[in-house]
Each structure stands twice: as structure tokens, then as C-alpha cells.
Amino acid sequence: MKALLQKLFTPVLNHFESGNNEYTYQPSHRKILVALGALFLLLSLGSLYASIISTKMAGILPAIVFLLVGGACEIVGFLGSDRAVANIWKRK
């Protein structure tokens, strides 16, 4: 299943896994990335909920941005290599 998901999200993962330089990776970086992604997804849901309740369409844009950032964090956190996680944190 993981291989199928990695193949599906190849464009996102390739962006962060590129490069041949040295990198510094710690397992806590992956845990923090997954937690940060969850917070962004929660923020996206909250923004969407507030937009629907207030009937203001201006809240849709932040919801989409938070959803994209949270989704990218979760994809790299769960499916990405150690290099991808280090590249998100710019740890070289």
C-alpha cells in the first residue's frame, strides 16, 4: 500500500527528495512534521467551518492554503524519505 501511495504522490515527493548534498536527519523531525501537518489540516477545517457558518466566501482561500500545506506535510511525513524530511526543514 505504501508503494502505491508513494507512486501516486511522486510529484510532491520528488520535489523534496531531490539533491545529492549531505543532510542531517533526526527521527524527531518526522514526528514534528506529522504533528505540524495535522495542525494545518485542523486549521483548514476550522477555517472552512467558519467560512460556511458566516456565509463569507473569503474564508475558502485560507482553507485551501492550509489544506495544501497540511497535506504536503503529511505526505512527506508518512511517505517521504529521510532526505525529503530534512529538505523540508532545510537541515543540511
Side-chain angles (χ1 to χ4, degrees), residues 34-90:
V34 169
L36 185 67
L39 290 175
F40 270 107
L41 291 176
L42 185 65
L43 190 57
S44 171
L45 290 174
S47 177
L48 184 63
Y49 177 75
S51 176
I52 290 172
I53 292 300
S54 67
T55 66
K56 304 286 185 194
M57 296 308 282
I60 299 294
L61 182 63
I64 292 171
V65 170
F66 293 143
L67 180 69
L68 291 175
V69 170
C73 288
E74 295 295 332
I75 289 168
V76 173
F78 285 120
L79 302 174
S81 65
D82 295 345
R83 177 181 297 281
V85 174
N87 279 340
I88 280 217
W89 294 114
K90 300 291 183 202

Side-chain angles (χ1 to χ4, degrees), residues 19-24 83 86-87 91-92:
N20 293 327
N21 51 358
E22 290 186 30
Y23 61 92
T24 304
R83 177 181 297 281
N87 279 340
R91 305 292 294 183
K92 298 178 184 174

